[in-house]
Amino acid sequence: MFKSFKALTLLLLTVFYTTAQEKPTVKVTIDEFHPVQTIESFGASDAWGCQFAGKWPDEKRNRMAELLFSNESTKDGQPLGIGLNFWRFSIGAGSAEQGPASTIRDEWKRQASFLGLDGKYNWTAMPGQVWFLQAAKKYGVKDFLGFVNSPHVSFTLNERAYSSAGECNLDFSKLDLFTDDIVNTVKGVKKLTGIEFKYLSPVNEPQWKWADPKQEGCPYTNEELARLARNLSEKLIASKLLTKIQVGDAGQLDYLYGQGKSKGHQVNAFFHPDSKEYLGGLANVDRSISGHSYFTTSPEKKAVDIRKKVAEEVAKIKDLRYWMSEYCVLGDDSLKGPGRDLGMETALFIAKLIHHDLSISNATSWQWWLAISPGDYKDGLIYIDRNKEDGKVYDSKLLWAMGNYSRFIKPGSRRLPVTMTGSDGNRLHISSYQTGSKLVTVVVNRTKEDVNIDLLTNKSRYNAAEIHVTSEQYSLFPVQKYNRQTGITIPAQSVTTIISQR
């Protein structure tokens, strides 16, 4: 027994002081003299749920749009949204109008088209998706992309929005009709909403067979993709549209630099002048190549090595940019896709992946797959009840974790190289960005311990910092302000953004 209360108090203070002193400290050096890539955007797509969610009652759909696009906060500082600045619009193939005859089993994955099965255009055919287009515009989104999973069923070999044979399903005798439809859709959307798509992605994951009627999809070889892109390029020019063609959308990152000649080596195929599939000389083909991070997230060495190879391959082509244009959790060694997760497990997994895609493969744009999901799967930023007319809206920690990047790292920000020293440095994932006069540093701490970090810069002097935390307790909330750049506490199992100011 302690002889006095004073002795007990002294012991407790000693234990507390010793524990505080032992908290790991990581020194983070940020190199302002050698900026790397310029960040363009963070985005998501309107497939598949927006076609129904966009017709929900105003209060519900407005809340969904606010969560996705808003940069505003409540009076106590809680962000209302994650400030996405890029929106992907799914140009459907008409399977929704076919209904059960489409043989696509899930009606949520059948997609509408403005072009009807009767060959006439109906510009009221996609009200839910159009509503979200207009909502994004209202919140200040400027960059929009239209993407095509399958040619309209009127132009496919089997009159379905998927490939029965596992080979390209486009009837190339109807190529002109298909590209005319894409151009007509771009024009129609512009007339309807005032939005001219900045980009068009005419194919999606062309390496897969798309032979199972789960959703719309169409395979292409590099040669078939190039033939389609050249035709579309001519049609866009003739129509005096400024929209640029964005190519790649590889189903797996290693198709960008490997995996055979017919569907792989896409960087070289489309952007090396000696390639027969060369598209880089077309004025309206964007100088970006896109790929999807599926099946390349574990083990860690594999994830890192693949992304290094992507960066090396893209760097061989002058002025070529790399986009990570789609991801959700399908499953790997450490995290499986089935099972909706509104908590931090998926959020921390994805925050680490975003870090790797930005910091290792030098992605200039990072785009999530489903903005809104009705499923019991790890594929949504926002979840809704599987109801076409109304229901509950659920935000997720994944949404807010992505917001640590999308809300604060604005278009035009430059990523800055980061080095770490300290016993705990290899347990954190840290990236830093020059955003105007501010320095934005995102720290992913997947450990179960708080970590202190000291930020060191080699050019500018920053005198204050504010941290925004996504954790089980917080959703991108501004937790603490510092009048220094040292001794900043990164909470356990959190994604934390440090905003440094001069």
Side-chain angles (χ1 to χ4, degrees):
M1 296 290 293
F2 290 98
K3 294 182 178 180
S4 69
F5 177 76
K6 181 178 180 181
L8 175 60
T9 301
L10 181 62
L11 175 63
L12 291 174
L13 286 172
T14 301
V15 171
F16 175 81
Y17 179 77
T18 303
T19 303
Q21 290 293 98
E22 291 176 351
K23 184 182 292 185
T25 297
V26 177
K27 293 188 182 299
V28 181
T29 302
I30 300 167
D31 182 2
E32 296 179 273
F33 288 108
H34 300 92
V36 197
Q37 80 268 33
T38 300
I39 303 300
E40 296 178 70
S41 56
F42 293 92
S45 84
D46 66 1
W48 311 98
C50 288
Q51 61 181 318
F52 298 124
K55 297 188 288 185
W56 275 28
D58 282 347
E59 179 186 359
K60 307 288 182 65
R61 63 183 183 177
N62 284 332
R63 178 55 182 148
M64 289 183 250
E66 184 177 58
L67 285 168
L68 293 168
F69 305 119
S70 178
N71 284 293
E72 299 299 318
S73 301
T74 63
K75 290 181 180 180
D76 64 356
Q78 172 60 52
L80 293 172
I82 67 168
L84 294 181
N85 50 53
F86 191 93
W87 190 241
R88 297 173 64 91
F89 179 88
S90 178
I91 300 173
S95 59
E97 187 178 354
Q98 287 181 319
S102 71
T103 68
I104 293 176
R105 295 184 290 271
D106 185 352
E107 67 174 322
W108 283 73
K109 293 182 179 179
R110 300 171 194 156
Q111 288 276 264
S113 171
F114 294 116
L115 177 62
L117 298 178
D118 60 1
K120 298 178 181 179
Y121 282 92
N122 175 9
W123 298 108
T124 66
M126 303 170 73
Q129 290 176 250
V130 168
W131 187 89
F132 272 98
L133 267 183
Q134 293 171 319
K137 179 184 176 183
K138 183 183 74 172
Y139 276 102
V141 175
K142 293 181 173 60
D143 291 349
F144 296 86
L145 176 144
F147 70 99
V148 180
N149 286 323
S150 165
H152 192 275
V153 294
S154 300
F155 314 131
T156 60
L157 293 170
N158 63 359
E159 298 183 345
R160 296 286 183 270
Y162 63 93
S163 173
S164 305
E167 297 177 351
C168 185
N169 196 31
L170 171 61
D171 182 347
F172 271 91
S173 71
K174 299 179 181 179
L175 175 59
D176 281 323
L177 295 174
F178 174 34
T179 53
D180 282 343
D181 176 42
I182 295 176
V183 170
N184 289 339
T185 298
V186 174
K187 288 180 177 179
V189 167
K190 183 178 181 180
K191 185 174 181 180
L192 194 62
T193 65
I195 295 169
E196 181 173 339
F197 291 131
K198 187 173 182 177
Y199 305 100
L200 271 175
S201 176
V203 307
N204 176 65
E205 297 182 348
Q207 292 83 13
W208 308 146
K209 291 184 177 181
W210 297 113
D212 189 354
K214 291 182 179 179
Q215 66 179 70
E216 296 188 348
C218 183
Y220 293 87
T221 64
N222 290 342
E223 184 178 4
E224 289 163 338
L225 193 160
R227 185 178 172 188
L228 165 58
R230 288 171 184 140
N231 185 290
L232 180 58
S233 171
E234 292 177 2
K235 296 291 180 65
L236 290 169
I237 291 171
S239 298
K240 298 182 180 180
L241 290 168
L242 300 178
T243 304
K244 291 201 169 186
I245 300 168
Q246 206 279 329
V247 296
D249 271 319
Q252 198 166 291
L253 295 185
D254 45 4
Y255 281 104
L256 295 176
Y257 61 82
Q259 290 276 21
K261 292 184 178 181
S262 67
K263 294 190 173 185
H265 294 277
Q266 286 190 319
V267 171
N268 187 75
F270 301 135
F271 290 99
H272 194 288
D274 292 338
S275 168
K276 65 179 181 179
E277 291 97 15
Y278 179 58
L279 299 173
L282 300 177
N284 57 0
V285 168
D286 191 58
R287 290 195 68 81
S288 62
I289 188 80
S290 57
H292 300 172
S293 280
Y294 297 120
F295 314 119
T296 61
T297 55
S298 69
E300 182 75 358
K301 185 178 185 305
K302 173 185 174 182
V304 170
D305 287 348
I306 286 175
R307 282 160 180 78
K308 285 181 178 177
K309 289 178 182 177
V310 169
E312 290 167 0
E313 191 74 3
V314 172
K316 293 176 183 177
I317 307 295
K318 185 179 179 181
D319 298 327
L320 186 65
R321 311 179 327 276
Y322 163 61
W323 286 7
M324 202 306 294
S325 58
E326 184 182 313
Y327 187 79
C328 72
V329 181
L330 294 182
D332 69 358
D333 295 341
S334 58
L335 188 64
K336 305 303 180 185
R340 179 184 296 188
D341 176 23
L342 302 180
M344 283 303 296
E345 182 182 20
T346 301
L348 288 167
F349 179 89
I350 296 302
K352 174 187 171 184
L353 176 61
I354 297 174
H355 168 272
H356 280 0
D357 286 333
L358 297 178
S359 298
I360 301 174
S361 53
N362 295 332
T364 64
S365 179
W366 202 93
Q367 301 157 26
W368 181 256
W369 176 217
L370 304 184
I372 299 169
S373 172
D376 186 22
Y377 210 86
K378 298 177 183 67
D379 58 0
L381 296 177
I382 297 169
Y383 288 90
I384 59 174
D385 292 336
R386 194 178 175 85
N387 187 315
K388 293 187 288 184
E389 297 178 354
D390 196 359
K392 293 182 179 179
V393 177
Y394 310 86
D395 63 340
S396 68
K397 293 298 182 180
L398 166 59
L399 171 85
W400 297 110
M402 185 173 174
N404 282 84
Y405 295 92
S406 60
R407 186 176 169 100
F408 303 114
I409 304 169
K410 299 301 184 184
S413 299
R414 297 293 300 274
R415 185 175 70 83
L416 304 175
V418 170
T419 56
M420 292 181 284
T421 58
S423 60
D424 217 51
N426 60 350
R427 302 169 67 191
L428 303 178
H429 301 285
I430 303 178
S431 57
S432 194
Y433 309 83
Q434 187 71 55
T435 303
S437 62
K438 299 178 181 179
L439 186 68
V440 176
T441 304
V442 184
V443 184
V444 183
N445 180 9
R446 301 178 74 193
T447 75
K448 295 181 180 180
E449 300 176 351
D450 294 355
V451 178
N452 283 339
I453 70 169
D454 295 344
L455 290 183
L456 308 172
T457 53
N458 58 5
K459 180 181 177 183
S460 305
R461 183 184 180 91
Y462 296 92
N463 302 312
E466 178 178 276
I467 66 169
H468 291 250
V469 176
T470 299
S471 63
E472 288 291 357
Q473 184 178 2
Y474 300 109
S475 295
L476 207 59
F477 193 76
V479 170
Q480 190 171 351
K481 293 184 178 181
Y482 294 84
N483 59 3
R484 62 187 188 277
Q485 300 293 300
T486 58
I488 297 173
T489 299
I490 307 300
Q493 295 187 308
S494 76
V495 187
T496 299
T497 298
I498 305 165
I499 303 175
S500 303
Q501 297 178 336
R502 296 187 177 97

